């Protein structure tokens, strides 16, 4: 039986052999922010036809769940695709910061019954909780690689 050369010739790259995503992810997200990737893409797309995605906002009443992650990632893919096809695709994220889901989160997390505090105090607690979760969810969506104007969201 004759011996064969079975070497695989792989391209040489700077990519590490091991992904180490939990260790590398924070620096990758920081790099995207440092190079201001969203504004760079928007600048390059300036003057092209607009394509707008009207995104229904998630409630700001807890950490993101799998459904919210899937929803946001699919919309981000659509925006990136349309951008690569020659459109100017601004994306302004938003949050629903009021209503029953927010009130339920205050009751669940703080153990407060709305009838035991003044209406003003209840609204303050709801607003504080919702705005805290806006920051939390913003960070979580950014970690998923979703590009957007995160510094100027709309809040209901």
């Amino acid at each position: 039986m004759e011996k064969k050369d079975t070497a695989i010739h792989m391209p040489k790259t700077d990519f590490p052999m091991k992904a180490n995503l939990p260790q590398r992810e924070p620096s990758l997200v920081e790099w995207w922010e440092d190079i201001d990737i969203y504004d760079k893409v928007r600048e390059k797309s300036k003057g092209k036809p607009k394509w707008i995605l009207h995104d229904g906002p998630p409630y700001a009443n807890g950490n993101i769940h799998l459904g919210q992650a899937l929803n946001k990632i699919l919309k981000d893919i659509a925006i990136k695709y349309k951008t690569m096809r020659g459109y100017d695709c601004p994306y302004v994220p938003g949050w629903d910061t009021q209503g029953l889901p927010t009130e339920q989160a205050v009751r669940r997390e703080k153990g407060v019954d709305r009838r035991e505090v003044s209406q003003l105090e209840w609204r303050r607690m709801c607003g504080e909780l919702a705005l805290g979760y806006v920051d939390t969810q913003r960070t979580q969506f950014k970690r998923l690689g979703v590009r957007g104007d995160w510094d100027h969201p709309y809040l209901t």
Side-chain angles (χ1 to χ4, degrees):
M1 179 178 247
E2 67 184 79
K3 192 173 185 180
K4 294 183 179 181
D5 181 13
T6 58
I8 298 175
H9 300 286
M10 300 294 289
K12 298 202 182 309
T13 71
D14 292 333
F15 294 120
M17 290 298 289
K18 188 174 177 189
N20 283 330
L21 189 57
Q23 291 77 32
R24 294 184 41 143
E25 178 196 2
S27 62
L28 185 58
V29 172
E30 185 180 334
W31 178 66
W32 288 333
E33 289 182 11
D34 287 347
I35 66 169
D36 201 8
I37 189 74
Y38 175 75
D39 285 337
K40 275 190 174 171
V41 170
R42 293 296 324 283
E43 184 63 35
K44 197 168 186 162
S45 299
K46 192 178 278 186
K48 295 180 178 178
K50 289 243 190 253
W51 189 82
I52 310 289
L53 177 96
H54 295 284
D55 187 14
Y59 282 106
N61 66 339
N63 291 309
I64 62 172
H65 55 69
L66 191 56
Q68 291 167 323
L70 178 62
N71 180 304
K72 200 66 77 180
I73 290 168
L74 291 174
K75 289 174 180 176
D76 186 59
I77 290 169
I79 290 167
K80 288 174 178 170
Y81 171 78
K82 292 303 270 188
T83 300
M84 289 187 289
R85 300 293 295 171
Y87 290 88
D88 180 11
C89 304
Y91 175 63
V92 178
W95 282 271
D96 193 342
T97 61
Q98 45 74 38
L100 186 58
T102 302
E103 293 179 12
Q104 289 171 330
V106 169
R107 188 170 55 240
R108 181 181 66 244
E109 292 187 19
K110 299 191 182 291
V112 176
D113 184 335
R114 73 178 297 168
R115 294 174 295 250
E116 296 173 358
V117 296
S118 71
Q119 192 174 24
L120 192 59
E121 177 63 13
W122 180 252
R123 287 179 182 169
R124 186 198 63 74
M125 291 185 340
C126 288
E128 185 178 280
L129 178 124
L131 292 177
Y133 276 120
V134 165
D135 289 338
T136 298
Q137 290 183 6
R138 175 187 359 244
T139 299
Q140 293 168 337
F141 287 133
K142 287 164 89 173
R143 287 183 65 193
L144 293 173
V146 177
R147 281 195 317 232
D149 189 0
W150 296 108
D151 294 333
H152 305 100
Y154 70 91
L155 305 174
T156 63

